[in-house]
Amino acid sequence: MNDAEEPGLYHYSPYNDRPRITWPNGARIAFWVAPNVEFYELDPPRHRVRPSWWRPHPDLVNYSIRDYGNRVGFWRMIEMLDALKIKASISLNVAIFEHLPEIGKAMVDRGYEIFSHGLFNTRYMYDMTEEQELAFIELVKAQVKKHANQELAGWLSPALSNTPQTMNLLAKAGIKYTLDLMIDDQPQPVLVNEGRLISVPYSLEVNDWTSLHIAGAPPREYTRIIKAQFDRLYQEGARSGTVMCLPLHPWMIGYPHRVEPLYEAIDYIMSHDKVWHCTGREIADWFYAHHYDAFLAQQARAASGL
């Protein structure tokens, strides 16, 4: 295969021929919940590559739908997560800390992990120079440290707008894991110029955005999808540990008729034994400590044909 046909960020690694992953206490599956808590601008600067809104600016209709998530949906969602005793990992537009400090305080008070979803979800990383992108990463790190007193560990680019240099710059900045590479159901080493970086499984399939909004699935079908995803990964996790991420959006899942079906799905998962309910940071730290070297060596051997 020609180098130009691959991103050059990871080696090919067949799912059935890898070092075995073990999770804490013999768990089969690492289950983590990743709400995307986002801030959308009503009339953001126009971007050459991609429009922020589909309608003419200012797009009050779409802005107000997202604003519902922060005014109502977020609070309904965290009440549900509290009831289920879920420790969330928040994919955060860090502008939330300044613009909606009540939401920031609620997340910090609960001890949620905060990882990056950029500054605003209406400003993208496309066309940034390496210097601009690295400064952007450092800005987000500083905001998370200032408001949550956490060292930033994870990264999901705002609106998934990563660039060819993003992975190298994340590793250079000391970020531990990325969600921009949705390549697998297990963590994978990412090939970077310096430092270390891994890809932790995220999902655009078992995601309220694609299931409820894009595909238009009824809430009960969304429940079935989540359970089916879990059942298969739980079964395969008996051979080697798997990861299931459940991404959420308050402006999608926070509507009254969608809360109970989601509650049912998460409660179903949490009712099983051998489930490690964890954060993205915990998955990354465990993988680095117990499996990173073996995976990297195995993939390098496979890439060299040995």
Side-chain angles (χ1 to χ4, degrees):
M1 182 176 288
N2 189 305
D3 287 345
E5 296 174 323
E6 296 184 338
L9 293 170
Y10 46 85
H11 295 302
Y12 174 71
S13 175
Y15 189 42
N16 62 348
D17 185 22
R18 297 174 179 173
R20 184 173 186 269
I21 291 179
T22 58
W23 294 133
N25 300 314
R28 295 182 178 190
I29 187 170
F31 172 64
W32 68 300
V33 178
N36 290 259
V37 179
E38 299 167 333
F39 194 91
Y40 287 81
E41 301 161 285
L42 176 61
D43 190 15
R46 274 48 167 190
H47 195 282
R48 182 184 67 84
V49 174
R50 175 180 175 182
S52 300
W53 295 114
W54 301 273
R55 293 155 52 97
H57 292 205
D59 188 349
L60 183 59
V61 172
N62 280 295
Y63 172 85
S64 65
I65 291 171
R66 272 68 173 180
D67 206 28
Y68 176 91
N70 291 329
R71 295 169 59 87
V72 180
F74 172 82
W75 304 101
R76 192 172 278 138
M77 180 188 71
I78 63 169
E79 182 177 309
M80 178 196 64
L81 297 180
D82 285 348
L84 288 162
K85 297 181 170 55
I86 295 296
K87 53 180 181 182
S89 296
I90 304 295
S91 172
L92 184 69
N93 292 150
V94 295
I96 286 282
F97 283 128
E98 300 285 351
H99 289 270
L100 298 171
E102 300 91 341
I103 289 179
K105 183 177 187 302
M107 295 184 296
V108 171
D109 286 351
R110 284 167 172 76
Y112 290 167
E113 178 195 0
I114 305 297
F115 68 88
S116 176
H117 200 26
L119 185 59
F120 301 98
N121 223 40
T122 39
R123 299 199 190 188
Y124 310 132
M125 295 168 64
Y126 307 121
D127 287 353
M128 283 187 181
T129 65
E130 289 194 17
E131 293 75 16
Q132 290 170 332
E133 192 169 346
L134 188 57
F136 179 66
I137 295 168
E138 293 295 340
L139 170 64
V140 173
K141 285 175 60 179
Q143 288 294 302
V144 172
K145 182 65 174 179
K146 174 183 176 181
H147 293 284
N149 196 29
Q150 296 181 22
E151 300 298 331
L152 183 65
W155 188 273
L156 179 66
S157 296
L160 306 180
S161 60
N162 53 71
T163 75
Q165 69 257 13
T166 297
M167 303 306 154
N168 284 320
L169 296 178
L170 291 176
K172 183 176 182 178
I175 303 302
K176 294 182 177 181
Y177 69 92
T178 178
L179 307 178
D180 282 348
L181 301 175
M182 284 155 270
I183 55 173
D184 218 283
D185 291 321
Q186 295 178 319
Q188 298 293 311
V190 180
L191 305 179
V192 291
N193 292 338
E194 61 179 280
R196 301 191 302 178
L197 185 69
I198 64 170
S199 172
V200 169
Y202 186 71
S203 179
L204 286 181
E205 293 295 315
V206 183
N207 186 311
D208 53 2
W209 162 256
T210 45
S211 295
L212 296 171
H213 188 68
I214 302 299
R220 288 296 170 190
E221 175 64 8
Y222 178 53
T223 304
R224 188 200 66 78
I225 290 169
I226 294 171
K227 288 181 177 180
Q229 178 88 349
F230 170 78
D231 286 344
R232 183 67 190 188
L233 289 173
Y234 187 75
Q235 175 186 332
E236 293 174 358
R239 299 192 301 268
S240 181
T242 56
V243 175
M244 178 172 175
C245 181
L246 183 59
L248 304 172
H249 297 75
W251 67 271
M252 287 298 306
I253 203 60
Y255 287 98
H257 67 289
R258 291 173 173 167
V259 172
E260 184 182 349
L262 177 61
Y263 185 105
E264 178 186 325
I266 297 176
D267 186 53
Y268 172 79
I269 292 170
M270 296 293 286
S271 70
H272 288 69
D273 63 0
K274 297 185 183 297
V275 172
W276 179 32
H277 167 46
C278 52
T279 64
R281 185 195 304 271
E282 289 170 333
I283 294 171
D285 286 345
W286 181 272
F287 187 80
Y288 276 121
H290 297 90
H291 302 296
Y292 176 87
D293 291 338
F295 265 66
L296 193 64
Q298 186 271 337
Q299 292 179 15
R301 287 194 299 271
S304 66
L306 297 177

